[in-house]
């Protein structure tokens, strides 16, 4: 007996007899419409099992799932990518959050941007994690535009009845920090014959 489901030239449909009639069925991924087995577009119908972060592409007799940009996985399971953002642009004699002159932090793709976001180098006396904020290294001070190794230091240790160069009992001198020598010149008072040095 001829298969009435194949009357339209489709040889993949199967016929199931019912009381007084019959039903036509197709293999998985196909649907019997318009007298034949037609491919089901699972992507358009929303019956696919692709991950929410994957793109669905219909194929004849099925579909494929591909993770979107910045996601990795099988297409059925997609995980947000991560990357390391390396800080740059900090001036000399500075330290990042990690206490060194180089720092990078992990970013995770958030769907439209990396989080935490890219960070520009900027001075902050207390740098924050996951930023490119920097502070001055030990024995350097922020001048408003750079970390410098100079300061003005009040002299100490003046004896009773003695005067400094400015003929007062208080005087400050400029100092420069040098590794191995510390702050120079020393700001400790000492007696000198004749006219005190500047």
């Amino acid at each position: 007996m001829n298969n009435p489901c194949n009357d339209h030239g489709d040889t993949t449909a199967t016929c199931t007899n019912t009381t007084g009639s019959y039903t036509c069925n197709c293999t998985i991924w196909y649907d019997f419409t318009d007298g034949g087995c037609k491919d089901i577009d699972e992507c358009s119908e929303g019956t696919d099992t692709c991950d929410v972060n994957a793109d669905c592409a219909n194929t004849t007799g099925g579909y494929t799932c591909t993770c979107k940009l910045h996601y990795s996985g099988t297409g059925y399971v997609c995980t947000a990518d991560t990357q390391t953002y390396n800080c740059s642009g900090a001036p000399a004699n500075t330290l990042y959050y990690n206490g060194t002159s180089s720092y990078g932090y992990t970013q995770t793709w958030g769907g439209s941007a990396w989080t935490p976001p890219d960070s520009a180098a900027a001075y902050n006396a207390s740098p924050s994690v996951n930023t490119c904020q920097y502070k001055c290294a030990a024995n350097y001070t922020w001048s408003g535009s750079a970390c410098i190794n100079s300061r003005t230091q009040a002299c100490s240790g003046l004896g009773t009845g003695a005067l400094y160069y400015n003929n007062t009992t208080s005087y400050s001198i400029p100092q420069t920090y040098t590794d191995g020598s510390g702050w120079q010149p020393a700001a400790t008072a000492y007696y000198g014959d004749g006219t005190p040095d500047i």
Side-chain angles (χ1 to χ4, degrees):
M1 180 177 177
N2 292 333
N3 181 348
C5 295
N6 293 335
D7 286 346
H8 296 275
D10 191 332
T11 59
T12 60
T14 59
C15 181
T16 302
N17 189 44
T18 62
T19 303
S21 186
Y22 61 90
T23 59
C24 297
N25 300 296
C26 301
T27 57
I28 190 171
W29 312 118
Y30 293 87
D31 191 21
F32 192 84
T33 55
D34 299 327
C37 290
K38 307 296 181 186
D39 178 60
I40 299 173
D41 187 343
E42 295 83 3
C43 301
S44 296
E45 293 186 7
T47 57
D48 64 271
T49 57
C50 296
D51 188 273
V52 65
N53 293 312
D55 293 318
C56 180
N58 189 60
T59 61
T60 302
Y63 59 91
T64 59
C65 302
T66 306
C67 292
K68 295 179 180 179
L69 181 65
H70 300 311
Y71 290 91
S72 299
T74 61
Y76 300 97
V77 176
C78 297
T79 305
D81 290 341
T82 60
Q83 67 177 16
T84 299
Y85 183 79
N86 292 309
C87 294
S88 63
N93 308 312
T94 59
L95 302 174
Y96 289 112
Y97 172 83
N98 62 345
T100 72
S101 58
S102 63
Y103 181 56
Y105 54 91
T106 300
Q107 295 177 309
T108 302
W109 184 249
S112 60
W114 294 99
T115 56
D118 295 356
S119 175
Y123 175 78
N124 190 310
S126 299
S128 298
V129 65
N130 296 333
T131 72
C132 293
Q133 296 174 346
Y134 57 84
K135 64 179 180 179
C136 291
N139 300 311
Y140 287 82
T141 56
W142 183 246
S143 70
S145 61
C147 291
I148 57 175
N149 64 340
S150 60
R151 69 180 184 182
T152 299
Q153 180 67 25
C155 295
S156 62
L158 186 66
T160 303
L163 298 174
Y164 288 115
Y165 170 83
N166 61 349
N167 291 320
T168 70
T169 56
S170 65
Y171 188 63
S172 296
I173 61 171
Q175 291 182 311
T176 301
Y177 186 85
T178 304
D179 290 339
S181 299
W183 290 101
Q184 297 294 327
T188 304
Y190 65 93
Y191 176 76
D193 290 333
T195 304
D197 295 330
I198 295 175

